[in-house]
Amino acid sequence: MAEHRRQQREALLAAARDLLSSGGTKALTFPALAERTGLARSSVYEYFRSRGAVVEALCAADFPRWAAEVEEAVLAAPTSRAQLEAYVRAQLALAGDERHQAVVAIAAAELDSAAREQIRAAHGALVDLVVGVLAELGQPDPRLSAVLLQGIVDAAVRRAALGVEERALITENAVALALRGAAGSPT
């Protein structure tokens, strides 16, 4: 019985990812989840009390994988500058990957406070990856610089989602901003 419930919950999360990837946050509804999984709508409520609870579950499952992929890219880079570049490039590549579209949609969603806190914690873990790198590059306040760098990445992800410019152009501009900012010294 427990295995069956786990499988149904995973099916609901997979359906939620698909809905978010294909239709954004508006597509994530309990009737749509029920239809995609073959469950009765009332059964969806047995697993999740609200859309926010679905988003929290997705955050708990997907953000650690996202962060692990970014961390792997950062740690594989040979120099501090290359690590900083890898941090930006990895996140922008993941944001463009269909496997991670749900994470991008989640970040843009109107969420309840628990889901927002889950996302803040996940972003905090990402920011932690580059605090040391920025310190090595001579930033006087590496934590603040890391938060601001994440703001560049977040803005690039949002811009790419608009589809106005090519992702490659957005990525190159975000990397250039990050590297120039890290090399410069604030006045």
Side-chain angles (χ1 to χ4, degrees), residues 49-60 63 103 105-125 154:
R49 69 189 181 286
S50 66
R51 266 177 25 129
V54 175
V55 169
E56 284 179 61
L58 284 171
C59 289
F63 272 118
V103 174
I106 288 167
E110 292 179 25
L111 305 171
D112 62 27
S113 60
R116 279 194 308 274
E117 186 52 41
Q118 185 102 13
I119 290 172
R120 263 194 295 278
H123 273 111
D154 294 344

Side-chain angles (χ1 to χ4, degrees), residues 24-39:
T25 55
K26 291 178 182 171
L28 181 60
T29 66
F30 278 29
L33 286 171
E35 182 180 325
R36 291 250 175 149
T37 58
L39 293 172

Side-chain angles (χ1 to χ4, degrees), residues 27 68 86 103 152 171:
V103 174
I152 290 172
T171 298

Side-chain angles (χ1 to χ4, degrees), residues 44-133:
V44 176
Y45 285 97
E46 292 178 27
Y47 293 90
F48 303 105
R49 69 189 181 286
S50 66
R51 266 177 25 129
V54 175
V55 169
E56 284 179 61
L58 284 171
C59 289
D62 293 350
F63 272 118
R65 285 191 285 244
W66 174 295
E69 290 185 44
V70 173
E71 181 176 21
E72 184 179 319
V74 169
L75 294 177
T79 66
S80 295
R81 283 184 62 82
Q83 288 175 332
L84 189 65
E85 181 175 347
Y87 178 82
V88 174
R89 286 188 186 281
Q91 287 189 71
L92 294 177
L94 288 169
D97 184 330
E98 282 188 12
R99 296 174 303 143
H100 298 287
Q101 286 301 303
V103 174
V104 175
I106 288 167
E110 292 179 25
L111 305 171
D112 62 27
S113 60
R116 279 194 308 274
E117 186 52 41
Q118 185 102 13
I119 290 172
R120 263 194 295 278
H123 273 111
L126 284 175
V127 166
D128 289 344
L129 286 174
V130 292
V131 171
V133 171

Side-chain angles (χ1 to χ4, degrees), residues 7-23:
Q7 288 174 347
Q8 284 190 324
R9 187 175 192 279
E10 287 302 315
L12 286 164
L13 291 176
R17 283 183 197 95
D18 289 344
L19 289 165
L20 287 166
S21 294
S22 63

Side-chain angles (χ1 to χ4, degrees), residues 99-184:
R99 296 174 303 143
H100 298 287
Q101 286 301 303
V103 174
V104 175
I106 288 167
E110 292 179 25
L111 305 171
D112 62 27
S113 60
R116 279 194 308 274
E117 186 52 41
Q118 185 102 13
I119 290 172
R120 263 194 295 278
H123 273 111
L126 284 175
V127 166
D128 289 344
L129 286 174
V130 292
V131 171
V133 171
L134 290 163
E136 287 176 20
L137 289 169
Q139 286 296 313
D141 189 341
R143 162 100 13 225
L144 175 59
S145 296
V147 169
L148 295 173
L149 172 63
Q150 187 60 44
I152 290 172
V153 172
D154 294 344
V157 167
R158 285 191 303 276
R159 186 67 184 184
L162 293 175
V164 176
E165 297 93 3
E166 289 188 31
R167 283 186 178 277
L169 177 64
I170 294 168
T171 298
E172 294 311 314
N173 275 273
V175 167
L177 279 170
L179 292 175
R180 263 189 250 123

